[in-house]
Amino acid sequence: MSEGMRTVLTAFRVLEEVAYAQPAGVGDLSRTLRLPKSTVQRALRTLWTAGWICPDGAETTRWVLTTRALHIGQRAIADLGVRDAALPMMRELRRETGETAHLMVLQDDRAVLIERVETEHPIRAVIPLGSTVPLHGSSNGKAMLAHRSPQEVRDLLGGRLARHTERTIVDWAEFDTELDRVRRRGYATNVGEWRTDITAVASPIFDAQGRVSASLSVSAPGSRMPAELRETYGVLVTEAARRVSATLGHRP
């Protein structure tokens, strides 16, 4: 990487950190980014000259975004929906796994499919766009439920755990444990819990306020997704969902 490229990337890192931590001082930025103070100071001067940041006027110089940076950021988020943010990641997931990637959003007590990127395998799990799947029993649903309180989960599910197949979890204590497992590892699994022929992994998508109202998944016939592949695909779908969340303005 050239010196010029490193300088540009450093300036972007500093700009991003100022956006999240403003008002931000040189010492704070240096510690957070693990960069020498002299490097941070050069980046700040460059960003100030370009009109992206300015001093906040305090006795000790601290930096804040200008209206120029705020305007562009707000414009980008307003124009970029979850589908637009997710579609490139879905194509990447299909390339990495060879399986179908689904994007679903929360609507009342169901998950609604709003986008998919199909596998090239002739045998596939077909779910038409606009279809709804239960929150309980589907990987997408569990991914979105896992980041809600137990009471919210019960309210959304109407206080009951309907059985869809022999593998559906219908005990509340067991289901609470399952959602805790989803939170800890970052993705949910569904091994024949909604339809006996479908296996899937899904991860939640967070918006700029930290809310979960969408999820990203990879699904396939169960024969093509044994336990070891579920773990591999779970890691891939978690990273893809994290990148979509970051595009939407989420910062863990």
Side-chain angles (χ1 to χ4, degrees):
M1 185 184 297
S2 68
E3 183 62 31
M5 179 64 74
R6 278 195 291 270
T7 300
V8 171
L9 291 176
T10 297
F12 277 126
R13 289 179 64 197
V14 171
L15 177 63
E16 185 178 45
E17 190 58 34
V18 170
Y20 288 123
Q22 61 179 323
V26 172
D28 297 332
L29 294 168
S30 175
R31 283 189 295 273
T32 301
L33 298 172
R34 297 181 181 179
L35 292 171
K37 286 186 178 180
S38 59
T39 300
V40 173
Q41 287 172 331
R42 283 196 298 272
L44 290 169
R45 284 196 296 270
T46 298
L47 292 167
W48 188 15
T49 301
W52 291 94
I53 63 172
C54 64
D56 70 348
E59 184 175 342
T60 301
T61 302
R62 301 178 72 82
W63 298 88
V64 295
L65 294 181
T66 63
T67 55
R68 176 182 183 183
L70 290 172
H71 174 73
I72 291 177
Q74 290 168 353
R75 175 72 177 272
I77 291 174
D79 289 347
L80 185 61
V82 65
R83 179 189 173 278
D84 297 318
L87 198 51
M89 295 300 99
M90 296 172 70
R91 293 184 179 120
E92 182 69 9
L93 276 175
R94 196 266 307 275
R95 186 190 66 78
E96 292 175 324
T97 66
E99 300 295 353
T100 300
H102 289 123
L103 174 66
M104 296 195 181
V105 296
L106 183 67
Q107 188 175 92
D108 300 323
D109 62 345
R110 310 284 285 182
V112 181
L113 178 64
I114 63 169
E115 187 56 89
R116 71 169 185 266
V117 178
E118 287 280 9
T119 178
E120 294 180 359
H121 288 292
I123 299 175
R124 63 188 69 179
V126 178
I127 306 175
L129 290 177
S131 296
T132 63
V133 302
L135 296 177
H136 165 243
S138 67
S139 61
N140 284 280
K142 287 192 283 186
M144 290 189 278
L145 290 175
H147 295 271
R148 285 172 164 75
S149 70
Q151 188 57 54
E152 285 180 292
V153 171
R154 283 156 175 75
D155 290 344
L156 281 168
L157 297 179
R160 60 187 293 268
L161 297 174
R163 182 179 291 282
H164 306 294
T165 74
E166 291 184 355
R167 305 197 64 160
T168 308
I169 299 173
V170 293
D171 176 78
W172 276 110
E174 186 180 352
F175 193 60
D176 289 339
T177 299
E178 171 75 356
L179 294 184
D180 181 62
R181 187 180 299 115
V182 173
R183 280 191 298 274
R184 284 187 284 107
R185 71 185 174 194
Y187 65 90
T189 61
N190 161 28
V191 185
E193 295 175 45
W194 171 49
R195 281 173 42 181
T196 56
D197 58 330
I198 292 180
T199 295
V201 293
S203 189
I205 293 172
F206 296 84
D207 65 17
Q209 288 71 47
R211 296 185 299 257
V212 175
S213 57
S215 60
L216 194 58
S217 67
V218 170
S219 63
S223 60
R224 286 210 304 267
M225 203 187 294
E228 61 272 17
L229 276 184
R230 289 198 297 275
E231 184 175 350
T232 299
Y233 292 174
V235 172
L236 291 173
V237 80
T238 299
E239 174 59 18
R242 185 198 65 78
R243 292 166 67 184
V244 176
S245 300
T247 302
L248 294 173
H250 176 65
R251 189 176 192 231

